[in-house]
């Protein structure tokens, strides 16, 4: 029987190819791929291109709380109703600032998971208004174009807070810190370490707490002068994604037996725990 069918197909010169696959079948297959793979296959032919834009594909890649996310960061609500789910996904994968430009949220392009960056300008820093101790200095090394720089102080305490409707999952929070003040000289990066002192005497204390009662406490000496480093503050779990969760976190070195100085604070980042391995951790 198989030979008969093969013979008939040959006699009638019947040829099939990718153009003959129904668009609905293509869309169903694409739904099971990662966003980057979908975009690569979209250039195969017209059917793949059209199928790759189906709303149900891209809605499955968006986090469950994407409507909250849209309302939080997108200003142009009038055009929102005309955007496809693919366009919404692409928009949310870009840096989106909120809270007066002091916080940033975006989707990881590969996984669609939510990531955050929080500027030092949103922190409550003891003595930040006294220029004898702290300054905000401009820099291209920060996503927010500015970092907080400590010249010298006895009591160092930095408090941060974020309220957001997190998708369900596990998250990790880091402070992004550097010992020394970087600048450009003759086109090359140099880092002034003259004011760096006091961080090798006692460790810095990091704390994290959530509105649903999770807590984390750790201590660590600051290392690697002249390089930005991510210091692990703590992990938290979101089990109930249908409401806002408040995250409070802090950095403190309040031993007044010695001064501390030469510290740059870029801010903090929050990543899904499975993506956090990309950072240089302490």
């Amino acid at each position: 029987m198989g030979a008969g069918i093969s013979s008939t197909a040959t006699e009638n010169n019947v040829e099939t190819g990718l153009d003959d696959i129904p668009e609905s079948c293509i869309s169903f297959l694409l739904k099971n791929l990662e966003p980057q793979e979908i975009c690569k296959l979209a250039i195969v032919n017209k059917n793949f291109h059209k199928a790759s834009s189906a709303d149900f594909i891209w809605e499955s890649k968006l986090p469950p709380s994407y409507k909250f996310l849209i309302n939080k960061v997108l200003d142009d609500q009038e055009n929102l109703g005309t955007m496809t789910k693919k366009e919404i996904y692409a928009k949310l994968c870009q840096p989106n600032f909120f809270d007066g430009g002091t916080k940033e949220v975006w989707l990881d392009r590969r996984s669609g998971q939510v990531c955050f960056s929080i500027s030092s300008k949103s922190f409550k820093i003891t003595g930040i208004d006294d220029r004898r101790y702290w300054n905000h200095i401009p820099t291209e090394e920060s996503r927010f174009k500015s970092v907080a720089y400590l010249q010298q102080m006895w009591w160092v305490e930095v408090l941060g807070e974020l309220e957001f409707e997190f998708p369900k999952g596990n998250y990790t929070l880091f402070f992004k810190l550097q010992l020394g003040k970087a600048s450009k000289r003759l086109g090359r990066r140099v880092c002034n370490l003259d004011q760096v002192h006091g961080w090798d005497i006692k460790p810095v204390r990091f704390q994290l707490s959530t509105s649903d009662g999770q807590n984390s406490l750790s201590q660590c000496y600051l290392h690697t002068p002249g390089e930005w480093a991510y210091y692990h503050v703590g992990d938290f779990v979101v089990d109930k994604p249908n409401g806002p969760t408040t995250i409070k976190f802090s950095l403190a070195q309040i031993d007044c037996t010695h001064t501390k100085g030469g510290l740059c604070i870029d801010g903090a980042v929050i990543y899904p725990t499975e993506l956090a391995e990309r950072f240089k951790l302490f």
Side-chain angles (χ1 to χ4, degrees), residues 61-252:
K61 309 303 177 187
L62 289 164
S65 60
Y66 79 89
K67 292 182 179 179
F68 169 86
L69 186 57
I70 290 171
N71 292 328
K72 187 77 172 178
V73 302
L74 296 186
D75 294 328
D76 194 352
Q77 297 297 321
E78 294 182 0
N79 292 332
L80 182 59
T82 63
M83 294 175 68
T84 65
K85 295 298 189 294
K86 182 179 180 181
E87 290 171 335
I88 292 174
Y89 186 89
K91 172 63 178 174
L92 293 179
C93 284
Q94 299 173 9
N96 296 283
F97 294 93
F98 63 102
D99 282 2
T102 62
K103 299 181 179 71
E104 180 186 17
V105 62
W106 68 96
L107 301 184
D108 177 70
R109 290 183 181 275
R110 179 179 292 273
S111 65
Q113 293 177 287
V114 178
C115 308
F116 299 87
S117 185
I118 306 169
S119 168
S120 59
K121 285 192 173 181
S122 72
F123 296 163
K124 294 180 180 178
I125 302 176
T126 302
I128 189 64
D129 296 324
D130 193 327
R131 293 297 174 260
R132 293 175 299 173
Y133 307 125
W134 289 93
N135 285 292
H136 284 290
I137 58 176
T139 176
E140 292 299 317
E141 296 186 356
S142 169
R143 303 174 74 100
F144 300 95
K145 309 303 181 185
S146 173
V147 298
Y149 178 69
L150 172 65
Q151 299 179 83
Q152 179 172 290
M153 201 174 193
W154 297 88
W155 183 290
V156 179
E157 188 171 27
V158 179
L159 307 175
E161 183 174 332
L162 173 66
E163 182 182 77
F164 209 86
E165 191 171 310
F166 291 85
K168 185 176 180 180
N170 300 330
Y171 296 88
T172 301
L173 188 146
F174 307 90
F175 269 110
K176 184 181 177 184
L177 310 173
Q178 177 182 257
L179 293 178
K181 181 166 60 175
S183 62
K184 287 288 184 70
R185 184 179 300 167
L186 299 177
R188 300 183 63 181
R189 183 184 190 271
V190 295
C191 195
N192 187 330
L193 305 179
D194 291 346
Q195 293 181 312
V196 176
H197 69 282
W199 303 106
D200 57 345
I201 300 175
K202 291 288 182 68
V204 172
R205 184 185 66 200
F206 298 102
Q207 285 186 282
L208 179 148
S209 63
T210 68
S211 53
D212 61 356
Q214 300 177 66
N215 294 278
S216 177
L217 173 64
S218 62
Q219 295 187 113
C220 179
Y221 288 93
L222 303 189
H223 303 282
T224 63
E227 297 181 16
W228 288 107
Y230 292 90
Y231 291 85
H232 180 244
V233 178
D235 303 324
F236 61 95
V237 179
V238 176
D239 291 323
K240 300 176 181 179
N242 296 322
T245 300
T246 300
I247 310 299
K248 295 183 178 181
F249 51 97
S250 66
L251 169 165

